[in-house]
Amino acid sequence: MQFTLLWLIPVLAPSALGKSSSTSTFRSDPIIELKKRGISADRLSAIALGLDGGNGCFCSFACDTLASTLGTDSVSLLGQDTYASSLTKFWSQQQSQETEPRCFARPANPEEVSIIILLSRATECPFAIKGGGHTAFKGASNSHGGITIDFVQMKHVIPNTERHSVAIGPGNTWLDVYTTLESSNMTMAGGRTATVGVSGLTLGGGISFFSGQHGWTCDNIISYEIVLGSGEILTVDSKTDAALFWALRGGGGGNFGVVTEFVANTFEQGPMWGGFLGWEMHSSKTALIDAMVNYAERGSLRDPKAALIVTFSHIQHYQMWVSTLIVDHPDPQPDGSHPEIFDEIFNVENAFLDTTRTTSHSNLTAEIANTSPSGSRQSYWTVTTRLDKQLALDILSIFEEETGPIIHLAGFLPSLIFQIIPVSQLQAMTRNGGNALGIGGGEEPLLLINLSPIWTLGSDDGEVLTRTSNTISRIKALARERGLDHPFIYINYASQYQDPLAGYGAENMARLIGVSRKYDPDGVFQKLSTGYFKFGGAPASWL
């Protein structure tokens, strides 16, 4: 890594000390800003003199400086027990076993986040941002060789006294949020998996059990606290910084700054109804896809409170293809009964699984989390089409054709997941200035398709990823041939070989780039924030 000495001029000139950039430009000199924040003169002089040799030595220096500044309890270096423990907190093997940061930095407040970013700039040491650590691919939220900002110490969940909103720290999972809110019979339109982090899901959009009524999670954010590349800390809402507020609503926050607090809308909610239903796949698939299409076209309009996820998988232990549905509704139901909107689903015969019951929101999200524990190799891929029954059936056939030949691989669990984005959700996306996803206000339901293979051995990566990539390519080609294709690529389900930001449309992409250039004029989050999705296209290529 080539160390840049442009930062040294102002620190070596006494007359420049204490000067800062105009906040209107969102620029700063990291050396001057670090001096203001109490970094020792010896440390700054070492940067000014330029440390000897590249190849990551500046990241070592950055991490040592962070340890002396934030305290050794807040920084873990390679080889320490706390470092090894931090690695285990990632969901996928690719992030926990194949990605080694130079250090983990665990800030306790936005001011410490600011120091980390400024030190990254001064030393040109890259960084990544970990909220819940639930993204699958290597380097998405864990910086190989750099600094991983781990928000484990920023986990506050503070409902306001009027019970209309909640302030949430970026280190929380959705289980943390829901268990806190439930003590006051409240909840919010957040994620559906207990172990998923608040930050990543919210900044990427976020589908909720309550999205039919309230929109996606990003549509329910009132304000963000964000640390910019300049080190400045802003509170952003629809009035103070409307353009940045819009961009953070689904635009992938890693392109603009580090969000250190979300303030979200809340609403009254006691016990709710939901759970899993299961059938053998081949005998049930046609009836279940019929029910899914009917739900999308009619049921979701009649009862927008309902939520539905349809999954087709191969269970290796039983050598069986299965259909699994997750059904949810905010209204409690008497034992043994279900909401009327799900009548058609419950009429499908020979179900071998039914966990539906009235329980807490947090329990329903924990049930989903239990189906996908950490420790395996993971990959997410996605494509969106217009809704069509025959297309859905043919997509399922493609999935079975592509994955069937490799179902013997160690620990292999392939899943094809269908989710409807009904008109009620699309209309809700237009509230409060809209979001950046590019689908708000649509007048026809969309079919969101997610492929999520799980497997054990790195030596099988090639076969799994090739088959998954082939499935996506064939789905896209078939949808295009039938005039049913759609450009939207949901960022929270995208693989590192996809370009979700381009799927937001040229106009939204241009707006997002414009916001990034305004609030990050030095390109800190394009050059040094290495994780997740940037404006230059997919993070990696797949042959």
Side-chain angles (χ1 to χ4, degrees):
M1 180 181 295
Q2 181 64 43
F3 187 70
T4 302
L5 300 183
L6 296 176
W7 309 122
L8 311 186
I9 298 172
V11 78
L12 295 176
S15 61
L17 293 180
K19 291 184 179 180
S20 61
S21 309
S22 166
T23 56
S24 63
T25 66
F26 302 111
R27 292 182 182 273
S28 69
D29 184 302
I31 299 292
I32 291 177
E33 294 301 320
L34 287 168
K35 181 178 178 65
K36 291 178 183 177
R37 288 159 174 78
I39 304 301
S40 72
D42 288 346
R43 290 280 173 180
L44 295 177
S45 295
I47 297 174
L49 293 173
L51 295 177
D52 209 8
N55 302 320
C57 70
F58 291 115
C59 282
S60 293
F61 180 78
C63 289
D64 289 344
T65 302
L66 286 173
S68 66
T69 304
L70 306 184
T72 54
D73 289 343
S74 294
V75 178
S76 297
L77 303 175
L78 184 64
Q80 296 178 336
D81 289 344
T82 52
Y83 178 100
S85 177
S86 293
L87 277 178
T88 67
K89 301 301 191 294
F90 291 89
W91 179 52
S92 71
Q93 275 189 24
Q94 292 97 317
Q95 291 230 81
S96 65
Q97 297 182 18
E98 297 179 0
T99 311
E100 290 189 346
R102 182 66 60 173
C103 64
F104 286 96
R106 298 182 291 274
N109 52 58
E111 289 75 21
E112 291 185 352
V113 175
S114 178
I115 289 172
I116 296 168
I117 293 172
L118 290 167
L119 195 56
S120 168
R121 288 179 58 198
T123 60
E124 295 190 354
C125 179
F127 63 93
I129 305 155
K130 175 185 175 287
H134 207 271
T135 306
F137 59 86
K138 178 179 178 179
S141 54
N142 195 10
S143 179
H144 192 64
I147 302 165
T148 294
I149 302 174
D150 186 348
F151 280 125
V152 69
Q153 293 195 101
M154 296 179 67
K155 297 185 67 172
H156 59 278
V157 181
I158 307 172
N160 78 337
T161 56
E162 296 180 353
R163 298 168 56 85
H164 295 315
S165 66
V166 60
I168 307 170
N172 285 291
T173 65
W174 289 107
L175 185 64
D176 299 323
V177 175
Y178 298 147
T179 52
T180 299
L181 293 176
E182 283 170 356
S183 64
S184 303
N185 285 324
M186 297 165 60
T187 196
M188 64 167 287
R192 298 163 297 179
T193 302
T195 50
V196 166
V198 167
S199 293
L201 180 131
T202 303
L203 293 169
I207 309 175
S208 167
F209 292 143
F210 306 99
S211 287
Q213 292 176 283
H214 299 280
W216 285 19
T217 304
C218 66
D219 302 316
N220 289 272
I221 301 302
I222 300 168
S223 67
Y224 305 84
E225 180 183 74
I226 186 170
V227 181
L228 302 180
S230 63
E232 295 171 72
I233 302 167
L234 301 181
T235 298
V236 175
D237 59 33
S238 60
K239 296 178 181 178
T240 59
D241 295 273
L244 181 55
F245 180 73
W246 171 84
L248 291 171
R249 289 159 70 98
N255 287 300
F256 312 103
V258 180
V259 175
T260 51
E261 184 177 81
F262 304 83
V263 177
N265 290 313
T266 57
F267 48 86
E268 298 281 340
Q269 181 65 50
M272 58 186 289
W273 177 91
F276 281 71
L277 299 165
W279 297 261
E280 188 279 327
M281 187 181 83
H282 295 102
S283 61
S284 64
K285 61 183 181 180
T286 301
L288 292 173
I289 287 176
D290 267 339
M292 178 187 76
V293 172
N294 290 335
Y295 160 80
E297 293 179 340
R298 291 182 290 277
S300 62
L301 300 175
R302 203 169 60 244
D303 187 355
K305 294 189 288 185
L308 173 67
I309 304 172
V310 180
T311 302
F312 301 100
S313 307
H314 182 267
I315 308 301
Q316 196 173 69
H317 180 74
Y318 297 106
Q319 298 185 30
M320 179 181 178
W321 292 91
V322 300
S323 309
T324 307
L325 269 63
I326 301 173
V327 288
D328 293 276
H329 200 283
D331 296 343
Q333 302 293 311
D335 289 347
S337 64
H338 59 265
E340 181 182 354
I341 189 173
F342 295 125
D343 281 351
E344 186 176 1
I345 291 170
F346 275 83
N347 286 335
V348 178
E349 297 180 345
N350 301 317
F352 64 77
L353 174 69
D354 183 351
T355 71
T356 58
R357 76 280 190 202
T358 294
T359 185
S360 67
H361 186 192
S362 60
N363 280 344
L364 292 172
T365 65
E367 184 178 19
I368 294 176
N370 289 338
T371 66
S372 185
S374 61
S376 295
R377 303 190 73 73
Q378 309 272 359
S379 188
Y380 265 28
W381 300 65
T382 188
V383 63
T384 303
T385 69
R386 290 172 169 82
L387 183 67
D388 180 80
K389 174 189 171 182
Q390 189 58 51
L391 179 63
L393 286 168
D394 292 340
I395 288 171
L396 180 53
S397 295
I398 291 171
F399 168 68
E400 192 173 359
E401 289 168 10
E402 289 290 342
T403 57
I406 60 170
I407 57 175
H408 63 281
L409 297 179
F412 186 49
L413 172 59
S415 293
L416 168 69
I417 304 165
F418 287 150
Q419 296 180 69
I420 301 299
I421 309 177
V423 173
S424 59
Q425 292 184 22
L426 298 172
Q427 295 299 320
M429 291 181 182
T430 64
R431 300 172 188 163
N432 305 319
N435 62 42
L437 299 172
I439 55 175
E443 296 181 352
E444 61 177 356
L446 299 176
L447 180 61
L448 179 62
I449 301 153
N450 175 210
L451 296 175
S452 60
I454 300 172
W455 69 105
T456 301
L457 302 176
S459 57
D460 291 332
D461 286 5
E463 284 192 272
V464 173
L465 296 177
T466 296
R467 292 284 180 173
T468 307
S469 177
N470 289 348
T471 304
I472 290 289
S473 296
R474 289 180 63 185
I475 292 170
K476 290 168 67 176
L478 183 61
R480 191 180 308 115
E481 176 186 314
R482 297 181 184 177
L484 296 168
D485 56 313
H486 195 281
F488 180 61
I489 300 172
Y490 182 32
I491 195 169
N492 288 351
Y493 293 168
S495 83
Q496 67 268 45
Y497 310 112
Q498 297 184 282
D499 185 9
L501 294 172
Y504 292 1
E507 182 179 346
N508 279 10
M509 180 73 152
R511 285 183 68 185
L512 289 169
I513 291 173
V515 172
S516 175
R517 287 175 176 169
K518 175 180 178 180
Y519 289 90
D520 184 24
D522 293 317
V524 174
F525 288 91
Q526 301 303 308
K527 302 170 187 175
L528 291 174
S529 178
T530 54
Y532 221 45
F533 297 96
K534 304 300 175 185
F535 295 125
S541 60
W542 183 255
L543 299 178

